[in-house]
Amino acid sequence: MPTVGSSWGRYPHVTQNIVPLHWRGAELPTPDGTLLAYGNGRSYGDSCLNDAGNLLVTRGLDRLIAFDPGSGILRCEAGVLFSEILDLVIPQGWFLPVLPGTKFITVGGAIANDVHGKNHHRAGTFGEHVRQFELLRSDGSRLLCDRTQNSELFHASIGGLGLTGLIVWAEFSLQRIAGPWLATETLRFENLAEFFALSSASEKDYEYSVAWIDCCAPEAKLGRGLFMRANHAQVSNAKRPPRQRHLRMPFTPPLSLVNRASLRLFNTLYYHRPIAAHGLSHYEPFFFPLDSIAEWNRMYGPRGFLQYQCLVPPQNSAEVVAELLRIIARSGTGSFLAVLKTFGEREAAGLMSFARTGTTLALDFANAGPSTFALLDRLDAVVAAASGSVYPAKDARMSSAHFRQYFPQWEKLQTHIDPKFSSSFWRRVTE
Ligand SMILES: Cc1cc2nc3c(=O)[nH]c(=O)nc-3n(C[C@H](O)[C@H](O)[C@H](O)COP(=O)(O)OP(=O)(O)OC[C@H]3O[C@@H](n4cnc5c(N)ncnc54)[C@H](O)[C@@H]3O)c2cc1C
Protein backbone atom coordinates (compact mmCIF):
# COMPACT_ATOMS: atom_id res chain seq x y z
CA MET A 1 0.00 0.00 0.00
CA PRO A 2 1.45 3.46 -0.86
CA THR A 3 2.51 5.24 2.33
CA VAL A 4 3.95 8.70 2.92
CA GLY A 5 7.19 8.40 4.81
CA SER A 6 10.41 10.16 5.70
CA SER A 7 13.74 9.32 7.30
CA TRP A 8 15.19 10.42 10.65
CA GLY A 9 15.53 14.06 9.51
CA ARG A 10 11.80 14.11 8.69
CA TYR A 11 12.68 15.71 5.37
CA PRO A 12 11.81 15.00 2.57
CA HIS A 13 8.44 13.24 2.63
CA VAL A 14 7.89 10.72 -0.15
CA THR A 15 5.20 8.27 -1.18
CA GLN A 16 6.41 4.69 -1.43
CA ASN A 17 5.04 1.17 -1.30
CA ILE A 18 5.98 -0.71 1.88
CA VAL A 19 6.93 -4.39 1.44
CA PRO A 20 7.80 -6.11 4.73
CA LEU A 21 10.30 -9.01 4.59
CA HIS A 22 10.11 -11.88 7.08
CA TRP A 23 12.50 -14.71 6.24
CA ARG A 24 16.00 -14.89 4.82
CA GLY A 25 15.15 -17.89 2.63
CA ALA A 26 12.18 -16.21 0.92
CA GLU A 27 12.38 -15.01 -2.67
CA LEU A 28 12.73 -11.32 -3.40
CA PRO A 29 9.24 -9.80 -3.86
CA THR A 30 8.60 -8.54 -7.39
CA PRO A 31 6.13 -5.65 -7.19
CA ASP A 32 6.02 -3.15 -10.06
CA GLY A 33 8.56 -0.37 -9.75
CA THR A 34 12.01 -0.07 -8.26
CA LEU A 35 13.19 -1.71 -5.01
CA LEU A 36 15.24 -0.45 -2.07
CA ALA A 37 16.06 -2.11 1.24
CA TYR A 38 15.12 -0.16 4.36
CA GLY A 39 16.77 -0.87 7.71
CA ASN A 40 15.57 1.22 10.64
CA GLY A 41 15.38 4.61 8.90
CA ARG A 42 18.20 6.17 10.95
CA SER A 43 19.67 7.82 7.88
CA TYR A 44 18.75 11.48 7.87
CA GLY A 45 18.04 12.33 4.25
CA ASP A 46 16.76 10.40 1.26
CA SER A 47 19.31 7.58 0.87
CA CYS A 48 16.85 5.18 2.58
CA LEU A 49 13.81 6.47 0.66
CA ASN A 50 12.40 5.42 -2.69
CA ASP A 51 9.80 7.90 -3.94
CA ALA A 52 7.18 6.19 -6.16
CA GLY A 53 8.98 2.87 -5.69
CA ASN A 54 9.02 0.00 -3.17
CA LEU A 55 10.76 -0.17 0.20
CA LEU A 56 11.78 -3.65 1.33
CA VAL A 57 11.47 -3.28 5.09
CA THR A 58 14.06 -5.60 6.64
CA ARG A 59 13.29 -5.41 10.36
CA GLY A 60 11.49 -8.77 10.06
CA LEU A 61 14.88 -10.33 9.20
CA ASP A 62 15.79 -10.28 12.87
CA ARG A 63 17.31 -13.68 13.63
CA LEU A 64 20.72 -14.37 15.06
CA ILE A 65 22.10 -17.27 13.05
CA ALA A 66 25.36 -18.21 14.78
CA PHE A 67 27.61 -16.82 17.48
CA ASP A 68 30.91 -18.30 18.59
CA PRO A 69 31.74 -16.88 22.03
CA GLY A 70 35.28 -18.24 21.65
CA SER A 71 36.21 -16.28 18.52
CA GLY A 72 33.64 -13.46 18.70
CA ILE A 73 32.34 -14.14 15.19
CA LEU A 74 28.65 -13.44 14.77
CA ARG A 75 26.33 -14.18 11.86
CA CYS A 76 22.83 -12.71 11.78
CA GLU A 77 20.08 -11.60 9.47
CA ALA A 78 20.44 -8.09 8.12
CA GLY A 79 17.50 -6.57 10.02
CA VAL A 80 18.99 -7.26 13.47
CA LEU A 81 19.61 -4.02 15.39
CA PHE A 82 22.96 -3.09 16.93
CA SER A 83 21.07 -2.68 20.24
CA GLU A 84 20.00 -6.35 20.06
CA ILE A 85 23.56 -7.46 19.35
CA LEU A 86 24.96 -5.45 22.26
CA ASP A 87 22.40 -6.97 24.64
CA LEU A 88 23.46 -10.44 23.54
CA VAL A 89 27.23 -10.14 23.40
CA ILE A 90 28.27 -7.76 26.20
CA PRO A 91 27.45 -10.28 28.97
CA GLN A 92 29.72 -12.71 27.10
CA GLY A 93 32.64 -10.26 26.99
CA TRP A 94 32.25 -8.98 23.42
CA PHE A 95 31.46 -5.61 21.85
CA LEU A 96 30.67 -4.29 18.39
CA PRO A 97 33.89 -3.15 16.69
CA VAL A 98 32.39 0.13 15.43
CA LEU A 99 29.43 2.05 16.85
CA PRO A 100 27.78 5.14 15.37
CA GLY A 101 25.97 7.67 17.57
CA THR A 102 22.81 5.55 17.81
CA LYS A 103 22.37 1.86 18.59
CA PHE A 104 19.08 1.68 16.70
CA ILE A 105 20.52 0.79 13.32
CA THR A 106 20.41 -2.52 11.50
CA VAL A 107 23.35 -4.60 10.34
CA GLY A 108 22.25 -4.08 6.70
CA GLY A 109 22.15 -0.29 7.19
CA ALA A 110 25.56 -0.34 8.90
CA ILE A 111 27.09 -2.11 5.89
CA ALA A 112 25.29 -0.09 3.20
CA ASN A 113 26.54 3.20 4.70
CA ASP A 114 29.80 1.70 6.00
CA VAL A 115 29.27 3.51 9.29
CA HIS A 116 32.05 4.98 11.40
CA GLY A 117 32.37 5.70 15.11
CA LYS A 118 34.53 7.36 17.71
CA ASN A 119 37.30 4.80 17.18
CA HIS A 120 37.90 5.37 13.47
CA HIS A 121 41.61 6.00 14.11
CA ARG A 122 41.86 2.49 15.61
CA ALA A 123 39.19 0.35 13.99
CA GLY A 124 38.25 2.05 10.71
CA THR A 125 34.66 1.63 9.57
CA PHE A 126 32.20 -1.22 10.17
CA GLY A 127 32.92 -2.75 6.75
CA GLU A 128 36.48 -3.53 7.81
CA HIS A 129 35.08 -6.08 10.29
CA VAL A 130 32.60 -7.72 7.92
CA ARG A 131 33.76 -11.19 6.83
CA GLN A 132 31.00 -12.12 4.42
CA PHE A 133 27.35 -11.59 3.54
CA GLU A 134 24.70 -12.97 1.23
CA LEU A 135 23.39 -10.64 -1.46
CA LEU A 136 19.99 -11.37 -3.01
CA ARG A 137 19.69 -9.86 -6.48
CA SER A 138 16.50 -9.15 -8.40
CA ASP A 139 17.25 -11.95 -10.91
CA GLY A 140 16.83 -14.36 -7.97
CA SER A 141 20.53 -15.11 -7.58
CA ARG A 142 22.00 -15.41 -4.08
CA LEU A 143 25.64 -14.40 -4.03
CA LEU A 144 27.99 -15.17 -1.20
CA CYS A 145 30.26 -12.12 -1.08
CA ASP A 146 33.57 -11.89 0.75
CA ARG A 147 37.11 -10.70 0.07
CA THR A 148 37.75 -13.53 -2.40
CA GLN A 149 34.34 -14.60 -3.80
CA ASN A 150 32.38 -11.93 -5.65
CA SER A 151 34.87 -9.56 -4.12
CA GLU A 152 34.00 -6.61 -6.37
CA LEU A 153 30.36 -6.84 -5.27
CA PHE A 154 31.53 -7.24 -1.66
CA HIS A 155 33.45 -3.94 -1.80
CA ALA A 156 30.74 -2.21 -3.86
CA SER A 157 28.02 -3.19 -1.37
CA ILE A 158 29.98 -1.86 1.63
CA GLY A 159 29.00 1.80 1.54
CA GLY A 160 26.99 0.96 -1.60
CA LEU A 161 23.86 2.80 -0.38
CA GLY A 162 21.69 -0.31 -0.69
CA LEU A 163 21.85 -0.27 -4.49
CA THR A 164 23.64 -3.55 -5.22
CA GLY A 165 20.79 -5.77 -3.97
CA LEU A 166 19.40 -6.97 -0.65
CA ILE A 167 21.92 -8.03 2.01
CA VAL A 168 20.11 -10.95 3.60
CA TRP A 169 22.55 -11.89 6.35
CA ALA A 170 26.07 -10.92 7.31
CA GLU A 171 28.96 -12.28 9.35
CA PHE A 172 31.38 -10.01 11.20
CA SER A 173 33.97 -10.00 13.99
CA LEU A 174 33.43 -8.56 17.44
CA GLN A 175 35.91 -7.03 19.82
CA ARG A 176 36.85 -8.43 23.28
CA ILE A 177 35.99 -6.32 26.33
CA ALA A 178 35.99 -6.82 30.08
CA GLY A 179 32.58 -5.24 30.64
CA PRO A 180 30.25 -2.37 29.75
CA TRP A 181 32.33 0.38 31.37
CA LEU A 182 34.63 2.99 29.90
CA ALA A 183 37.38 4.98 31.58
CA THR A 184 36.64 8.47 30.25
CA GLU A 185 38.30 11.83 30.27
CA THR A 186 36.77 15.20 29.31
CA LEU A 187 38.90 18.24 28.54
CA ARG A 188 37.92 21.77 27.62
CA PHE A 189 39.67 23.31 24.63
CA GLU A 190 39.74 26.99 23.72
CA ASN A 191 40.23 26.86 19.96
CA LEU A 192 40.80 24.60 16.96
CA ALA A 193 44.56 24.48 17.39
CA GLU A 194 44.01 22.97 20.84
CA PHE A 195 41.47 20.52 19.42
CA PHE A 196 43.93 19.24 16.79
CA ALA A 197 46.72 18.98 19.37
CA LEU A 198 44.48 16.97 21.72
CA SER A 199 43.28 14.79 18.90
CA SER A 200 46.72 13.78 17.72
CA ALA A 201 48.00 13.35 21.29
CA SER A 202 45.08 10.99 22.01
CA GLU A 203 45.37 8.70 18.99
CA LYS A 204 47.99 6.41 20.44
CA ASP A 205 46.61 5.88 23.93
CA TYR A 206 42.85 6.27 23.54
CA GLU A 207 40.57 3.97 21.64
CA TYR A 208 37.72 6.48 21.40
CA SER A 209 37.83 10.22 20.90
CA VAL A 210 35.34 12.86 19.82
CA ALA A 211 34.69 16.52 20.49
CA TRP A 212 31.61 18.63 20.96
CA ILE A 213 32.10 22.07 19.49
CA ASP A 214 30.33 25.33 20.30
CA CYS A 215 28.96 26.26 16.89
CA CYS A 216 27.58 29.58 18.17
CA ALA A 217 30.87 30.89 19.60
CA PRO A 218 31.86 34.40 18.48
CA GLU A 219 35.00 34.92 16.38
CA ALA A 220 37.25 35.45 19.42
CA LYS A 221 36.20 32.05 20.82
CA LEU A 222 35.83 30.21 17.52
CA GLY A 223 36.44 26.49 17.77
CA ARG A 224 36.06 26.08 21.53
CA GLY A 225 34.55 22.88 22.85
CA LEU A 226 34.85 19.77 24.98
CA PHE A 227 37.09 16.85 24.05
CA MET A 228 36.03 13.36 25.19
CA ARG A 229 38.34 10.37 25.08
CA ALA A 230 38.00 6.90 26.51
CA ASN A 231 39.20 3.32 26.73
CA HIS A 232 37.33 0.20 27.74
CA ALA A 233 37.75 -0.14 31.51
CA GLN A 234 39.34 -3.37 32.62
CA VAL A 235 36.51 -4.09 35.05
CA SER A 236 33.43 -6.18 34.46
CA ASN A 237 31.04 -4.81 37.06
CA ALA A 238 32.22 -1.45 38.33
CA LYS A 239 28.88 -0.19 39.51
CA ARG A 240 25.22 -0.52 38.82
CA PRO A 241 24.35 0.26 35.16
CA PRO A 242 22.40 3.53 34.77
CA ARG A 243 18.66 3.20 35.22
CA GLN A 244 16.91 2.94 31.85
CA ARG A 245 14.83 6.08 31.52
CA HIS A 246 12.10 6.05 28.94
CA LEU A 247 11.87 9.67 27.89
CA ARG A 248 10.06 10.48 24.70
CA MET A 249 9.44 13.69 22.76
CA PRO A 250 5.65 13.40 23.20
CA PHE A 251 4.49 15.36 20.15
CA THR A 252 5.74 17.37 17.22
CA PRO A 253 5.64 21.05 18.19
CA PRO A 254 4.08 23.33 15.54
CA LEU A 255 7.40 25.21 15.25
CA SER A 256 10.99 24.11 15.73
CA LEU A 257 12.16 24.40 19.35
CA VAL A 258 15.65 25.02 18.00
CA ASN A 259 16.19 28.69 17.34
CA ARG A 260 18.93 31.32 17.62
CA ALA A 261 18.21 32.08 21.30
CA SER A 262 17.88 28.46 22.51
CA LEU A 263 21.02 27.47 20.58
CA ARG A 264 23.17 30.26 21.99
CA LEU A 265 22.01 29.56 25.52
CA PHE A 266 22.52 25.81 25.26
CA ASN A 267 25.95 26.06 23.67
CA THR A 268 27.24 28.59 26.21
CA LEU A 269 25.90 26.61 29.18
CA TYR A 270 27.17 23.31 27.78
CA TYR A 271 30.64 24.68 27.21
CA HIS A 272 30.85 26.07 30.75
CA ARG A 273 29.23 23.09 32.49
CA PRO A 274 31.28 21.54 35.28
CA ILE A 275 33.21 18.56 33.93
CA ALA A 276 34.81 15.70 35.79
CA ALA A 277 38.20 15.31 34.12
CA HIS A 278 38.29 11.54 34.77
CA GLY A 279 35.35 9.21 35.19
CA LEU A 280 33.89 5.78 34.71
CA SER A 281 30.99 5.81 32.28
CA HIS A 282 28.57 3.12 31.16
CA TYR A 283 28.94 2.67 27.42
CA GLU A 284 25.41 3.85 26.56
CA PRO A 285 25.58 7.55 27.56
CA PHE A 286 29.09 7.76 26.12
CA PHE A 287 28.22 6.34 22.71
CA PHE A 288 24.54 7.17 22.36
CA PRO A 289 23.75 10.43 24.20
CA LEU A 290 20.74 11.10 21.97
CA ASP A 291 19.15 7.65 22.26
CA SER A 292 17.94 8.45 25.80
CA ILE A 293 15.10 10.57 24.36
CA ALA A 294 12.97 8.59 21.94
CA GLU A 295 11.84 10.51 18.86
CA TRP A 296 14.01 13.55 19.71
CA ASN A 297 13.90 14.32 15.99
CA ARG A 298 10.38 15.73 16.50
CA MET A 299 11.86 18.70 18.34
CA TYR A 300 12.57 20.37 14.99
CA GLY A 301 8.89 20.71 14.22
CA PRO A 302 6.87 19.59 11.20
CA ARG A 303 9.42 20.81 8.61
CA GLY A 304 12.10 18.53 10.01
CA PHE A 305 15.82 19.20 9.90
CA LEU A 306 18.90 18.59 7.80
CA GLN A 307 22.09 17.13 9.07
CA TYR A 308 25.30 18.27 7.43
CA GLN A 309 28.30 16.01 7.87
CA CYS A 310 31.39 16.79 5.87
CA LEU A 311 34.93 15.53 5.76
CA VAL A 312 37.93 17.70 4.97
CA PRO A 313 41.38 16.34 4.12
CA PRO A 314 44.14 16.66 6.73
CA GLN A 315 46.39 19.13 4.85
CA ASN A 316 44.19 22.14 5.52
CA SER A 317 41.65 20.81 8.03
CA ALA A 318 42.17 23.60 10.57
CA GLU A 319 41.57 26.49 8.14
CA VAL A 320 38.65 24.81 6.41
CA VAL A 321 36.88 23.85 9.64
CA ALA A 322 37.41 27.42 10.92
CA GLU A 323 35.85 28.80 7.74
CA LEU A 324 32.85 26.45 8.05
CA LEU A 325 32.34 27.40 11.70
CA ARG A 326 32.53 31.09 10.82
CA ILE A 327 29.82 30.70 8.17
CA ILE A 328 27.63 28.74 10.59
CA ALA A 329 28.12 31.17 13.50
CA ARG A 330 27.26 34.13 11.24
CA SER A 331 24.07 32.39 10.11
CA GLY A 332 22.86 32.12 13.73
CA THR A 333 21.71 28.54 13.13
CA GLY A 334 23.31 25.23 13.98
CA SER A 335 22.80 22.49 16.50
CA PHE A 336 22.97 21.53 20.13
CA LEU A 337 25.28 18.67 19.32
CA ALA A 338 27.92 19.77 16.83
CA VAL A 339 30.52 17.05 16.56
CA LEU A 340 34.13 17.27 15.43
CA LYS A 341 36.39 14.25 15.01
CA THR A 342 39.56 13.35 13.18
CA PHE A 343 39.53 10.14 11.13
CA GLY A 344 42.65 7.99 11.09
CA GLU A 345 44.61 6.57 8.20
CA ARG A 346 42.51 3.43 7.67
CA GLU A 347 41.63 2.40 4.17
CA ALA A 348 37.89 1.69 4.07
CA ALA A 349 36.66 -1.63 2.65
CA GLY A 350 33.93 0.05 0.64
CA LEU A 351 34.22 1.45 -2.85
CA MET A 352 32.04 4.43 -1.86
CA SER A 353 32.83 4.67 1.87
CA PHE A 354 32.60 8.21 3.23
CA ALA A 355 35.19 7.94 6.01
CA ARG A 356 38.80 8.57 5.04
CA THR A 357 41.73 10.42 6.58
CA GLY A 358 40.77 13.92 7.63
CA THR A 359 38.46 15.81 9.94
CA THR A 360 34.71 15.42 10.06
CA LEU A 361 32.24 18.02 11.27
CA ALA A 362 28.56 17.14 11.81
CA LEU A 363 25.69 19.41 12.76
CA ASP A 364 21.90 19.55 12.53
CA PHE A 365 20.04 22.50 11.05
CA ALA A 366 16.32 23.11 11.54
CA ASN A 367 14.72 23.25 8.11
CA ALA A 368 13.82 26.92 7.75
CA GLY A 369 13.32 26.62 4.00
CA PRO A 370 15.43 28.34 1.29
CA SER A 371 17.75 30.08 3.79
CA THR A 372 18.83 26.68 5.22
CA PHE A 373 19.46 25.25 1.76
CA ALA A 374 21.43 28.37 0.76
CA LEU A 375 23.55 28.04 3.91
CA LEU A 376 24.31 24.38 3.19
CA ASP A 377 25.25 25.29 -0.39
CA ARG A 378 27.73 27.82 1.01
CA LEU A 379 29.22 25.11 3.22
CA ASP A 380 29.43 22.79 0.21
CA ALA A 381 31.33 25.41 -1.78
CA VAL A 382 33.99 25.52 0.96
CA VAL A 383 34.15 21.73 1.34
CA ALA A 384 34.34 21.16 -2.42
CA ALA A 385 37.11 23.77 -2.82
CA ALA A 386 39.06 21.90 -0.12
CA SER A 387 38.60 18.52 -1.93
CA GLY A 388 36.45 17.26 0.92
CA SER A 389 33.15 15.40 0.78
CA VAL A 390 29.68 15.14 2.34
CA TYR A 391 28.18 12.00 3.92
CA PRO A 392 25.33 10.62 1.74
CA ALA A 393 23.76 8.90 4.79
CA LYS A 394 23.01 12.34 6.21
CA ASP A 395 22.17 14.17 3.02
CA ALA A 396 18.90 15.37 1.50
CA ARG A 397 20.06 18.16 -0.78
CA MET A 398 23.62 18.07 -2.13
CA SER A 399 23.82 18.88 -5.82
CA SER A 400 24.56 16.29 -8.46
CA ALA A 401 27.74 18.21 -9.40
CA HIS A 402 29.02 18.14 -5.83
CA PHE A 403 28.18 14.46 -5.39
CA ARG A 404 30.14 13.56 -8.53
CA GLN A 405 33.08 15.59 -7.31
CA TYR A 406 32.98 14.10 -3.79
CA PHE A 407 32.62 10.52 -5.06
CA PRO A 408 34.28 10.24 -8.48
CA GLN A 409 34.05 6.44 -8.10
CA TRP A 410 30.23 6.64 -8.40
CA GLU A 411 30.39 5.47 -12.01
CA LYS A 412 32.14 2.30 -10.91
CA LEU A 413 29.39 1.68 -8.35
CA GLN A 414 26.88 2.09 -11.15
CA THR A 415 28.27 -1.00 -12.91
CA HIS A 416 27.40 -3.08 -9.80
CA ILE A 417 23.94 -1.68 -9.14
CA ASP A 418 21.10 -4.17 -9.37
CA PRO A 419 18.94 -3.07 -12.34
CA LYS A 420 15.75 -3.16 -10.22
CA PHE A 421 17.24 -1.20 -7.27
CA SER A 422 17.20 2.57 -6.90
CA SER A 423 16.68 5.27 -4.28
CA SER A 424 15.47 8.85 -4.10
CA PHE A 425 19.03 9.88 -3.25
CA TRP A 426 20.60 8.08 -6.18
CA ARG A 427 18.14 9.50 -8.71
CA ARG A 428 18.64 12.99 -7.28
CA VAL A 429 22.43 12.95 -7.54
CA THR A 430 22.93 10.99 -10.75
CA GLU A 431 20.01 11.71 -13.11
C1 LIG B 1 21.46 9.90 16.34
C2 LIG B 1 22.20 9.36 15.15
C3 LIG B 1 23.58 9.28 15.21
C4 LIG B 1 24.30 8.78 14.12
N1 LIG B 1 25.66 8.70 14.22
C5 LIG B 1 26.37 8.18 13.19
C6 LIG B 1 27.78 8.03 13.30
O1 LIG B 1 28.38 8.37 14.31
N2 LIG B 1 28.43 7.45 12.25
C7 LIG B 1 27.78 7.03 11.12
O2 LIG B 1 28.44 6.50 10.22
N3 LIG B 1 26.44 7.17 11.00
C8 LIG B 1 25.73 7.74 12.01
N4 LIG B 1 24.37 7.85 11.90
C9 LIG B 1 23.72 7.41 10.65
C10 LIG B 1 23.34 5.94 10.70
O3 LIG B 1 24.28 5.18 11.40
C11 LIG B 1 23.31 5.40 9.26
O4 LIG B 1 22.48 6.19 8.46
C12 LIG B 1 22.85 3.94 9.20
O5 LIG B 1 23.12 3.45 7.92
C13 LIG B 1 21.36 3.78 9.51
O6 LIG B 1 21.04 2.41 9.51
P1 LIG B 1 19.55 1.88 9.35
O7 LIG B 1 19.54 0.45 9.72
O8 LIG B 1 18.61 2.76 10.06
O9 LIG B 1 19.38 1.96 7.77
P2 LIG B 1 18.45 2.91 6.88
O10 LIG B 1 18.66 4.31 7.28
O11 LIG B 1 17.06 2.40 6.87
O12 LIG B 1 19.12 2.65 5.45
C14 LIG B 1 20.42 3.11 5.21
C15 LIG B 1 20.94 2.52 3.89
O13 LIG B 1 21.12 1.13 4.07
C16 LIG B 1 20.48 0.42 3.03
N5 LIG B 1 20.09 -0.87 3.60
C17 LIG B 1 19.46 -1.11 4.77
N6 LIG B 1 19.31 -2.43 4.96
C18 LIG B 1 19.86 -3.06 3.89
C19 LIG B 1 19.98 -4.41 3.48
N7 LIG B 1 19.54 -5.41 4.23
N8 LIG B 1 20.59 -4.67 2.29
C20 LIG B 1 21.07 -3.67 1.51
N9 LIG B 1 20.97 -2.36 1.85
C21 LIG B 1 20.37 -2.06 3.02
C22 LIG B 1 19.31 1.31 2.64
O14 LIG B 1 18.89 1.03 1.32
C23 LIG B 1 19.95 2.68 2.74
O15 LIG B 1 20.67 2.97 1.57
C24 LIG B 1 23.61 8.34 12.96
C25 LIG B 1 22.21 8.41 12.91
C26 LIG B 1 21.51 8.91 13.99
C27 LIG B 1 20.01 8.99 13.92
Side-chain angles (χ1 to χ4, degrees):
M1 205 183 62
T3 308
V4 178
S6 60
S7 66
W8 191 248
R10 309 182 80 231
Y11 174 88
H13 294 267
V14 302
T15 303
Q16 47 202 356
N17 189 38
I18 304 297
V19 184
L21 304 182
H22 300 290
W23 169 240
R24 63 180 177 275
E27 285 178 10
L28 200 65
T30 51
D32 288 342
T34 58
L35 305 173
L36 182 73
Y38 178 87
N40 205 29
R42 256 43 180 195
S43 300
Y44 284 74
D46 55 0
S47 64
C48 63
L49 303 177
N50 193 14
D51 196 14
N54 300 284
L55 267 196
L56 306 174
V57 177
T58 63
R59 273 293 287 133
L61 303 177
D62 59 355
R63 295 164 194 85
L64 294 159
I65 301 170
F67 175 48
D68 176 359
S71 64
I73 293 172
L74 189 146
R75 184 185 294 193
C76 65
E77 290 181 347
V80 172
L81 293 176
F82 271 23
S83 58
E84 295 164 337
I85 296 174
L86 292 168
D87 288 348
L88 170 84
V89 304
I90 290 177
Q92 306 191 54
W94 293 99
F95 204 61
L96 278 159
V98 169
L99 287 173
T102 173
K103 62 179 178 173
F104 299 119
I105 69 162
T106 63
V107 167
I111 296 174
N113 275 326
D114 197 13
V115 299
H116 57 267
K118 298 175 175 61
N119 59 349
H120 182 272
H121 57 288
R122 283 284 181 88
T125 50
F126 186 69
E128 198 170 319
H129 308 272
V130 173
R131 293 160 57 90
Q132 54 174 321
F133 50 78
E134 184 182 79
L135 195 65
L136 180 52
R137 303 268 291 185
S138 62
D139 61 5
S141 56
R142 285 178 185 269
L143 304 173
L144 187 70
C145 301
D146 62 21
R147 284 173 176 76
T148 54
Q149 294 173 77
N150 299 306
S151 66
E152 286 209 1
L153 259 182
F154 177 78
H155 295 291
S157 303
I158 295 177
L161 302 166
L163 299 166
T164 59
L166 174 76
I167 298 168
V168 180
W169 57 261
E171 184 181 279
F172 45 90
S173 313
L174 302 174
Q175 177 200 355
R176 260 260 180 249
I177 49 157
W181 300 95
L182 295 162
T184 60
E185 207 176 325
T186 306
L187 304 150
R188 233 184 285 276
F189 56 90
E190 299 285 332
N191 51 48
L192 287 175
E194 285 184 22
F195 162 79
F196 283 106
L198 273 172
S199 213
S200 75
S202 307
E203 281 202 1
K204 192 166 131 306
D205 296 327
Y206 292 86
E207 190 160 354
Y208 303 102
S209 70
V210 69
W212 165 83
I213 190 145
D214 179 355
C215 62
C216 300
E219 179 70 29
K221 293 170 181 169
L222 192 82
R224 70 179 181 182
L226 301 176
F227 191 88
M228 278 78 77
R229 56 191 186 187
N231 284 315
H232 285 280
Q234 294 310 311
V235 290
S236 55
N237 255 330
K239 49 186 181 177
R240 205 194 285 261
R243 206 154 43 92
Q244 295 274 352
R245 279 180 299 171
H246 298 286
L247 300 176
R248 173 174 295 274
M249 185 74 198
F251 61 92
T252 303
L255 289 174
S256 169
L257 301 180
V258 182
N259 54 43
R260 194 180 280 249
S262 62
L263 274 173
R264 270 237 163 123
L265 184 67
F266 173 87
N267 276 272
T268 306
L269 292 177
Y270 195 78
Y271 176 73
H272 289 291
R273 82 193 157 105
I275 48 173
H278 294 270
L280 198 60
S281 168
H282 191 260
Y283 77 92
E284 295 207 64
F286 181 80
F287 286 108
F288 316 121
L290 292 169
D291 281 352
S292 57
I293 306 176
E295 299 189 72
W296 60 263
N297 54 343
R298 288 174 163 187
M299 143 177 105
Y300 287 90
R303 296 169 86 172
F305 65 107
L306 295 113
Q307 170 142 130
Y308 188 80
Q309 180 168 1
C310 62
L311 172 91
V312 291
Q315 306 79 284
N316 47 1
S317 275
E319 303 86 80
V320 179
V321 171
E323 181 58 15
L324 295 171
L325 288 175
R326 245 177 236 121
I327 296 173
I328 294 162
R330 264 189 248 126
S331 77
T333 59
S335 55
F336 294 126
L337 275 186
V339 173
L340 192 61
K341 154 121 196 96
T342 50
F343 285 151
E345 291 175 5
R346 314 282 298 208
E347 188 153 345
L351 171 66
M352 290 278 291
S353 298
F354 163 73
R356 58 186 158 99
T357 321
T359 306
T360 186
L361 173 69
L363 314 93
D364 297 333
F365 294 92
N367 178 11
S371 63
T372 308
F373 288 79
L375 167 67
L376 300 182
D377 286 346
R378 288 204 295 285
L379 299 182
D380 261 354
V382 174
V383 171
S387 305
S389 70
V390 165
Y391 195 8
K394 310 273 183 87
D395 181 70
R397 38 61 56 194
M398 77 169 100
S399 71
S400 170
H402 277 139
F403 172 74
R404 289 163 197 236
Q405 180 186 335
Y406 297 150
F407 296 94
Q409 67 279 39
W410 72 274
E411 282 176 304
K412 183 142 194 238
L413 174 65
Q414 203 149 30
T415 64
H416 296 291
I417 292 181
D418 186 297
K420 277 282 274 181
F421 277 64
S422 183
S423 69
S424 295
F425 173 85
W426 193 251
R427 291 188 290 275
R428 175 167 61 80
V429 296
T430 63
E431 283 175 5

